[in-house]
Amino acid sequence: MSQQHAAELCALLVNDIYGEVSSKVVSILLQLGRLPIPQICSHIKLGPKIVKQTLVVLIQQHLVTHYTHSENHRDIVYYETNWMQIYELLHAGRIIRAMESRYGNDGALVISNMLQLGHARVSDFLSAYGTSTKNAGQDAEDTTTSVETLKSIITEMVASRFLIQVQEHHMNPPTDTINAMRKSLTAQLRKNFTVETRLVKEVDRQIAIKMAEFADGDTSAHAGMKRKLATSAKGKAKKRAKVSMYDQEVEEEEWEVDEEVVLRVNHEKFLVLFRNQELVSLAEKRLGRTTSLVYRQFLEKLEPKYLRCHVIGDDDEEEDNPKKRIKLSVLELSKTFDFSIELDNSIAAPPKEVSRGRKRSLEDSDDESPKHLNGNAEDEDEDEEEDEWADHEEIDDADPEALKKKKRMAIIKQHLQLLAEDSFKFLKHESTRGMGEWSINYKELGKLIKQLEVEKVVEERFGSMGTRLLRIVKDKGKLDEKQIANIALLKQKEIRATLSGLHEAGHLELQEVPKTATPQVSRMFFLWFYDFERAKNALIGDVYKAMARCIQRTNTERDKRKSLLEKWERTDVQANQEEYLTTGEKRELEIWSTREEKLLAQLMRLDRIVMVMRDF
């Protein structure tokens, strides 16, 4: 059912952006699978020319992939939809807003054009940008400067992997890529294996490695870049001076994006960005704003080291092996920490012990005095602090700036300890190097936020009782109705309707266990249990359906006011609305604007649920 609603949603998205013909092509490919052009034409009742033009646009946007297969000495091209890429059309607004916050208006311009184009060669993109931004009163130098600024932003986006190079496997369906790889590897390795099962296992192992490499792409530091030529004052390229091996100072090389590469938007990297935002928001609700800001700095520091949300291959390898965990120390974090974040007085000090004025007796020895005991504790704390600072450079206590830096690092450490000690386990303490090393268990945090999202939906649909029963079944395992009622301290008739509703919505499952060899309804145990994967898939299917209905309702509201909206979109009407629009038309436009805004906001909320449940 979820696949049906997902296909309906994808067809509606393509229809809104690329038109009815593109929607028909995508819809038929989603329903029937891969097809060649003649069969596509026969199903949608359109000519080959229109279908080919439509497929060109969809392939350019990476919404359709293709593969050439040889049959009876003839090459036949099959086309297949990439429905996940179609769904990513909903993330365009989030992506543009994220790039605008990082790179300003120029960054938003770059990413919005890349989203519209699908993929583009850098040189073509830069030439189009220079032509489109050159005004009548703007000379050539201004255009060159703006293009150079744009080029530097593209370089930063490529370095951060928000833009990646287009490879051949991006245009082909994954199944065909795997089949071609399997055929080649089997032919190469067959001579090394006599047992077929061992050959198959080795081929599968190498295919998994290769597919992981394809998914990661070129992970080198300067992928898609070239060395930047140093220019003289006259604008000519200078030759790089030869530097002796005994010279102490070596000129640092500068890199820029290669204008010959073809780039596309890397949606996987943006999902990492959105996941970090979700975790920061959750930390703010749990621990306050300042701690969440420290957590955001921590996540941003680790962001370049994570290529995607889901690890391809062995997901548990990193978590099981401490040496492979990505760690970050307080010292490393403090070097790039945002000084605009106010940390002073962000954590309350523990209350001081108040002396009750008891006279000290002669029997009280100095070794057992509270003052001396506190002094020992302070000495131990100082020893621990000295051990933590042993790994990095010494700080001059006489320098006020150094003392301020030391105090700031101590406060940062306290916030990280709060994050690690919370029941949600936002961080995991690894060692004491550099005032403490920390890592993030994204796998466990992903399970946690997914479960919280399921419980939030259950709370909205079935109230607090529904959430209560769901948690009981989740924690205790398989239970019958009587056991659930006893644990919940409720009567069976009070929970029966809620349990049935949870089962109907897909949040709980029911298992029948016969008491005797002959199955009869009167002689059976009915056990309730919680299957997270089934509950997750049921929720995602419901959300897909709700999103499709939001888009359909928006289209219906727009069709009701088609003539009015066409009038309002005219430039002369927008320039002088008072003259061309009546009071009734203005009121109707206001109603339409309010409804459209509410429907789009609801669509984005539903999209957030899908990201949390499916992508994080």
Side-chain angles (χ1 to χ4, degrees):
M1 187 62 70
S2 61
Q3 294 179 353
Q4 175 187 346
H5 296 315
E8 182 183 8
L9 175 61
C10 290
L12 289 169
L13 288 172
V14 174
N15 185 40
D16 274 359
I17 300 174
Y18 302 105
E20 186 179 356
V21 177
S22 298
S23 177
K24 287 183 177 180
V25 172
V26 166
S27 181
I28 203 66
L29 290 176
L30 286 170
Q31 293 176 18
L32 303 179
R34 59 172 62 197
L35 294 173
I37 288 180
Q39 293 187 25
I40 296 174
C41 295
S42 64
H43 282 96
I44 64 174
K45 311 298 181 184
L46 291 174
K49 183 177 180 180
I50 297 177
V51 172
K52 288 179 181 179
Q53 292 173 349
T54 304
L55 287 172
V56 167
V57 175
L58 296 175
I59 291 171
Q60 172 74 20
Q61 300 294 330
H62 297 272
L63 308 182
V64 169
T65 55
H66 59 90
Y67 188 78
T68 304
H69 185 65
S70 180
E71 296 180 3
N72 298 326
H73 306 288
R74 292 177 55 195
D75 290 339
I76 300 177
V77 182
Y78 287 90
Y79 298 89
E80 183 178 332
T81 52
N82 185 356
W83 78 271
M84 286 292 293
Q85 191 69 27
I86 296 175
Y87 183 86
E88 293 293 341
L89 295 172
L90 283 170
H91 295 164
R94 299 178 190 268
I95 290 172
I96 294 171
R97 187 164 58 250
M99 292 297 96
E100 185 178 11
S101 64
R102 289 203 175 197
Y103 305 108
N105 293 330
D106 291 331
L109 178 66
V110 170
I111 205 70
S112 61
N113 279 281
M114 279 294 181
L115 287 168
Q116 291 178 2
L117 295 172
H119 63 260
R121 193 179 302 275
V122 176
S123 58
D124 297 338
F125 189 90
L126 293 176
S127 61
Y129 177 85
T131 303
S132 61
T133 58
K134 184 175 180 181
N135 301 322
Q138 192 177 22
D139 55 11
E141 291 185 1
D142 292 335
T143 304
T144 304
T145 304
S146 61
V147 168
E148 286 300 320
T149 303
L150 177 65
K151 191 173 181 180
S152 66
I153 291 174
I154 294 177
T155 302
E156 293 181 19
M157 288 185 178
V158 172
S160 301
R161 294 188 63 84
F162 292 119
L163 296 176
I164 56 173
Q165 297 183 64
V166 176
Q167 304 292 340
E168 183 180 357
H169 63 269
H170 290 147
M171 298 296 182
N172 298 333
T175 303
D176 292 300
T177 303
I178 292 173
N179 290 339
M181 203 182 303
R182 185 181 301 278
K183 182 178 180 182
S184 175
L185 288 172
T186 302
Q188 293 176 10
L189 300 175
R190 184 170 292 279
K191 58 183 179 182
N192 300 332
F193 293 90
T194 55
V195 181
E196 187 69 19
T197 55
R198 293 183 180 178
L199 173 63
V200 172
K201 288 182 179 179
E202 178 63 21
V203 169
D204 290 340
R205 188 185 69 83
Q206 294 197 20
I207 287 175
I209 295 173
K210 196 66 177 176
M211 291 303 293
E213 292 176 356
F214 281 170
D216 294 339
D218 190 351
T219 56
S220 59
H222 304 296
M225 299 186 190
K226 63 179 182 180
R227 288 185 178 87
K228 188 175 182 180
L229 294 176
T231 55
S232 62
K234 297 181 180 180
K236 296 182 180 180
K238 294 190 298 185
K239 293 183 178 179
R240 187 177 299 277
K242 294 183 179 180
V243 181
S244 172
M245 63 182 294
Y246 300 103
D247 292 341
Q248 297 295 326
E249 295 183 1
V250 180
E251 185 179 355
E252 203 174 300
E253 293 180 339
E254 294 185 4
W255 295 79
E256 64 180 3
V257 65
D258 187 357
E259 296 188 13
E260 296 304 314
V261 301
V262 180
L263 300 177
R264 58 169 289 187
V265 177
N266 184 11
H267 291 278
E268 290 287 345
K269 187 65 176 181
F270 281 102
L271 288 176
V272 173
L273 197 65
F274 300 150
R275 180 179 64 180
N276 289 346
Q277 293 174 359
E278 189 69 26
L279 291 176
V280 170
S281 176
L282 182 60
E284 183 176 359
K285 295 175 183 177
R286 296 277 297 179
L287 300 168
R289 177 165 177 76
T290 306
T291 304
S292 71
L293 292 177
V294 174
Y295 194 40
R296 185 182 68 185
Q297 294 287 311
F298 189 95
L299 294 174
E300 288 179 356
K301 187 72 174 178
L302 291 183
E303 183 186 299
K305 300 178 182 179
Y306 288 92
L307 304 179
R308 62 179 41 80
C309 290
H310 295 287
V311 180
I312 295 180
D314 189 1
D315 293 344
D316 300 324
E317 183 179 358
E318 180 181 319
E319 304 300 334
D320 293 339
N321 192 348
K323 295 182 179 180
K324 292 189 177 182
R325 292 179 192 148
I326 301 175
K327 307 169 188 176
L328 182 65
S329 66
V330 176
L331 178 62
E332 294 170 337
L333 178 61
S334 64
K335 292 178 181 178
T336 58
F337 197 85
D338 188 1
F339 284 94
S340 64
I341 300 175
E342 185 62 41
L343 294 179
D344 293 338
N345 302 320
S346 59
I347 295 182
K352 296 181 179 179
E353 293 184 3
V354 180
S355 176
R356 298 186 179 274
R358 183 176 64 86
K359 293 182 179 180
R360 182 179 177 186
S361 62
L362 295 174
E363 290 80 10
D364 293 339
S365 63
D366 293 339
D367 294 339
E368 296 177 355
S369 64
K371 180 179 179 181
H372 193 73
L373 289 174
N374 290 339
N376 287 339
E378 291 174 1
D379 292 340
E380 291 176 1
D381 293 340
E382 289 177 0
D383 293 340
E384 292 178 0
E385 196 71 22
E386 288 176 0
D387 293 339
E388 292 173 351
W389 283 86
D391 290 338
H392 53 83
E393 66 274 5
E394 295 181 359
I395 292 182
D396 186 7
D397 290 342
D399 186 3
E401 290 297 325
L403 288 173
K404 185 177 179 181
K405 179 180 178 183
K406 184 176 180 180
K407 180 181 178 183
R408 191 173 182 83
M409 292 173 66
I411 298 174
I412 292 173
K413 179 183 177 181
Q414 289 177 341
H415 283 287
L416 296 181
Q417 287 175 335
L418 285 176
L419 290 163
E421 292 168 2
D422 188 82
S423 60
F424 282 9
K425 302 297 180 184
F426 292 102
L427 292 178
K428 182 177 182 180
H429 186 258
E430 296 288 347
S431 69
T432 58
R433 189 184 69 85
M435 284 196 74
E437 266 190 331
W438 315 82
S439 65
I440 300 180
N441 191 336
Y442 276 116
K443 186 177 180 181
E444 293 300 321
L445 281 173
K447 292 179 181 178
L448 173 66
I449 59 177
K450 289 174 184 177
Q451 182 60 35
L452 290 176
E453 202 63 39
V454 171
E455 292 180 2
K456 190 186 299 182
V457 173
V458 172
E459 178 80 22
E460 291 292 332
R461 298 178 69 177
F462 302 99
S464 58
M465 183 184 290
T467 310
R468 184 178 178 184
L469 297 178
L470 181 73
R471 289 175 177 173
I472 289 172
V473 177
K474 171 180 170 292
D475 294 339
K476 302 299 182 181
K478 294 182 179 180
L479 300 171
D480 63 10
E481 188 180 279
K482 184 178 180 180
Q483 291 173 318
I484 297 173
N486 291 335
I487 296 173
L489 302 178
L490 296 170
K491 296 179 180 179
Q492 288 183 241
K493 61 181 181 180
E494 294 177 350
I495 68 171
R496 191 167 296 145
T498 305
L499 287 174
S500 299
L502 290 170
H503 176 59
E504 186 178 353
H507 300 299
L508 288 182
E509 300 296 330
L510 190 61
Q511 181 179 1
E512 301 174 358
V513 180
K515 297 179 181 179
T516 59
T518 305
Q520 295 180 5
V521 176
S522 59
R523 295 184 178 182
M524 279 191 179
F525 292 109
F526 293 93
L527 302 179
W528 297 93
F529 67 97
Y530 177 71
D531 189 329
F532 175 73
E533 288 299 321
R534 291 184 185 179
K536 182 185 75 172
N537 294 333
L539 177 58
I540 292 175
D542 291 342
V543 174
Y544 284 154
K545 183 178 180 179
M547 295 173 77
R549 298 300 175 262
C550 281
I551 296 175
Q552 289 175 340
R553 179 60 186 272
T554 305
N555 294 337
T556 302
E557 294 289 336
R558 186 186 294 113
D559 292 339
K560 288 180 181 178
R561 304 166 179 84
K562 185 176 180 180
S563 58
L564 176 59
L565 292 175
E566 289 176 353
K567 177 182 178 181
W568 181 70
E569 289 172 356
R570 287 165 42 189
T571 55
D572 57 335
V573 174
Q574 291 185 355
N576 194 355
Q577 298 182 15
E578 296 295 333
E579 181 180 352
Y580 291 102
L581 293 178
T582 64
T583 305
E585 289 175 336
K586 291 179 184 177
R587 189 183 302 111
E588 193 65 26
L589 284 172
E590 186 177 350
I591 293 172
W592 154 248
S593 178
T594 304
R595 289 183 181 178
E596 183 187 35
E597 184 179 353
K598 289 181 179 179
L599 288 167
L600 292 178
Q602 181 66 15
L603 188 65
M604 291 300 101
R605 293 191 189 102
L606 293 170
D607 173 53
R608 176 196 158 275
I609 296 176
V610 172
M611 280 199 302
V612 169
M613 300 301 297
R614 187 193 66 191
D615 300 328
F616 292 170

